[in-house]
């Protein structure tokens, strides 16, 4: 009887010891898995660089990244399939989920360089409907965002070409399939190269956000909490940089306007 009891106790002890070892390794970030649902814009603008840094610091932590539309990414948190989601607005989040803004970003309208002379002056949204329009497909937060944006100005948006992913829009614009909105950071290089142009608008679209979405009723693992903190730090750094750039541009514009006024006054006196 003693041997039989010992065999059962030994098995229980081994399981307990293995569990203790697993918890200890998780605390040291020596093992574990973080599962993330992410929208594509959030992936390109924020998540990828942070994941690279996280991997360098904690190479033994496994990452499971699933790309969805923003509503689908949020749904994975609600269903318990992801530790958290990183998604672009507009995002519908209901309790016990909570959305916390990480990063603000601006989208610009881009067109093929062949339109350079045509779009020298700011264009109204009503004028844009005369040109083929490229947008992400229905059931995406981006499609909903621009549908509302156009409707707020009394215009029904029609997408002549629906792209499956955000990184398809720029190649389509380069091939002159139409004009489309993309996040400003993703367009800067090709604009500088003269491949595409930014179309100035009379009605600018509102600034959008990338949000961190979590289930407040479900605690995170140590690894997930560390990655969460890194995301918040990266978002804060990017927002500070963007604010500094905007302030510098504003000061430069005021300075240039003041210089032009002094020049005109000087010319008038002479």
């Amino acid at each position: 009887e003693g041997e039989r009891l010992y065999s059962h106790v030994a098995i229980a002890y081994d399981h307990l010891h293995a569990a203790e070892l697993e918890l200890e390794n998780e605390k040291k970030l020596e093992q574990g898995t973080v599962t993330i649902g992410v929208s594509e814009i959030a992936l390109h603008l924020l998540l990828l660089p942070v994941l690279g840094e996280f991997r360098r610091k904690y190479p033994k932590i496994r990452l499971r990244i699933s790309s969805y539309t923003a509503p689908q990414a949020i749904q994975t948190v609600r269903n318990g399939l992801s530790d958290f989601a990183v998604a672009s607005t507009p995002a519908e989040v209901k309790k016990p989920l909570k959305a916390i803004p990480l990063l603000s970003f601006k989208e610009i309208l881009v067109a093929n360089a062949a339109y350079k002379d045509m779009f020298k002056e700011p264009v109204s949204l009503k004028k844009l409907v005369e040109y083929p329009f490229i947008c992400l497909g229905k059931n995406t937060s981006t499609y909903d965002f621009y549908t509302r944006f156009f409707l707020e100005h009394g215009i029904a948006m029609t997408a002549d070409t629906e792209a499956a992913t955000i990184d398809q829009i720029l190649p389509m614009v380069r091939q002159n399939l139409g004009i489309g909105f993309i996040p400003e950071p993703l367009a800067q290089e090709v604009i500088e190269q003269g491949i595409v142009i930014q179309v100035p608008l009379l009605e600018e679209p509102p600034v959008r956000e990338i949000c961190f979405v979590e289930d407040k009723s479900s605690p995170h693992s140590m690894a997930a909490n560390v990655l969460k903190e890194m995301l918040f730090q990266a978002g804060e750094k990017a927002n500070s940089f963007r604010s500094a750039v905007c302030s510098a541009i504003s000061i430069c514009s005021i300075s240039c306007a003041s210089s032009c006024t002094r020049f005109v006054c000087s010319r008038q006196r002479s």
Side-chain angles (χ1 to χ4, degrees):
E1 291 183 0
E3 290 182 356
R4 289 170 59 188
L5 177 62
Y6 173 79
S7 65
H8 287 295
V9 171
I11 293 173
Y13 174 79
D14 289 340
H15 284 302
L16 179 62
H17 180 68
E20 289 177 340
L21 184 61
E22 183 177 341
L23 288 173
E24 187 65 27
N25 285 334
E26 285 187 0
K27 288 181 181 180
K28 295 178 181 179
L29 297 179
E30 292 291 328
Q31 72 177 51
T33 302
V34 182
T35 304
I36 307 168
V38 60
S39 67
E40 196 187 2
I41 290 177
L43 179 70
H44 288 291
L45 294 189
L46 180 64
L47 185 59
L48 277 177
V50 176
L51 289 179
E53 182 183 357
F54 183 85
R55 171 63 72 193
R56 287 190 292 272
K57 289 183 176 180
Y58 311 107
K60 295 184 179 180
I61 300 296
R62 297 179 62 193
L63 296 169
R64 292 177 181 168
I65 314 300
S66 298
S67 181
Y68 302 97
T69 65
Q72 289 171 342
I74 294 169
Q75 187 63 39
T76 64
V77 181
R78 186 175 290 112
N79 294 342
L81 301 176
S82 296
D83 293 310
F84 56 79
V86 186
S88 53
T89 58
E92 185 178 352
V93 177
K94 298 178 181 179
K95 292 183 178 180
L97 302 190
K98 183 178 180 180
I100 308 168
L102 290 172
L103 172 70
S104 298
F105 67 97
K106 176 184 176 183
E107 289 189 300
I108 59 174
L109 184 65
V110 293
N112 188 279
Y115 288 101
K116 186 176 182 180
D117 294 332
M118 193 176 301
F119 290 132
K120 286 184 176 180
E121 300 297 326
V123 184
S124 68
L125 292 181
K126 289 183 179 180
K127 184 70 174 177
L128 289 183
V129 298
E130 299 176 8
Y131 302 93
F133 186 64
I134 305 168
C135 186
L136 287 182
K138 296 176 182 178
N139 300 320
T140 66
S141 61
T142 297
Y143 189 94
D144 292 342
F145 177 82
Y146 283 105
T147 297
R148 295 176 191 175
F149 174 56
F150 276 76
L151 283 176
E152 286 172 358
H153 293 86
I155 305 164
M157 184 195 79
T158 301
D160 298 276
T161 302
E162 293 186 13
T165 61
I166 193 68
D167 55 7
Q168 290 178 352
I169 294 180
L170 198 53
M172 290 178 179
V173 171
R174 293 177 65 172
Q175 294 301 318
N176 210 9
L177 294 180
I179 59 178
F181 286 96
I182 61 173
E184 189 174 25
L186 302 183
Q188 288 176 341
E189 184 176 348
V190 286
I191 289 175
E192 291 172 358
Q193 294 171 352
I195 298 172
V196 302
I197 61 165
Q198 179 178 350
V199 179
L201 295 172
L202 292 174
E203 305 97 345
E204 295 279 350
V207 171
R208 298 176 67 185
E209 291 180 323
I210 292 172
C211 293
F212 181 92
V213 181
E214 61 182 341
D215 185 345
K216 296 300 291 183
S217 66
S218 179
H220 296 309
S221 66
M222 181 70 72
N225 275 324
V226 170
L227 182 52
K228 173 184 175 179
E229 183 62 29
M230 291 175 67
L231 282 167
F232 275 84
Q233 290 175 356
E236 183 177 355
K237 183 178 179 181
N239 283 330
S240 297
F241 177 77
R242 184 174 182 272
S243 297
V245 170
C246 290
S247 297
I249 292 173
S250 178
I251 293 171
C252 181
S253 299
I254 294 172
S255 177
C256 290
S258 177
S259 298
C260 289
T261 301
R262 289 197 299 271
F263 175 75
V264 170
C265 291
S266 175
R267 295 272 296 184
Q268 288 176 343
R269 286 196 298 270
S270 63

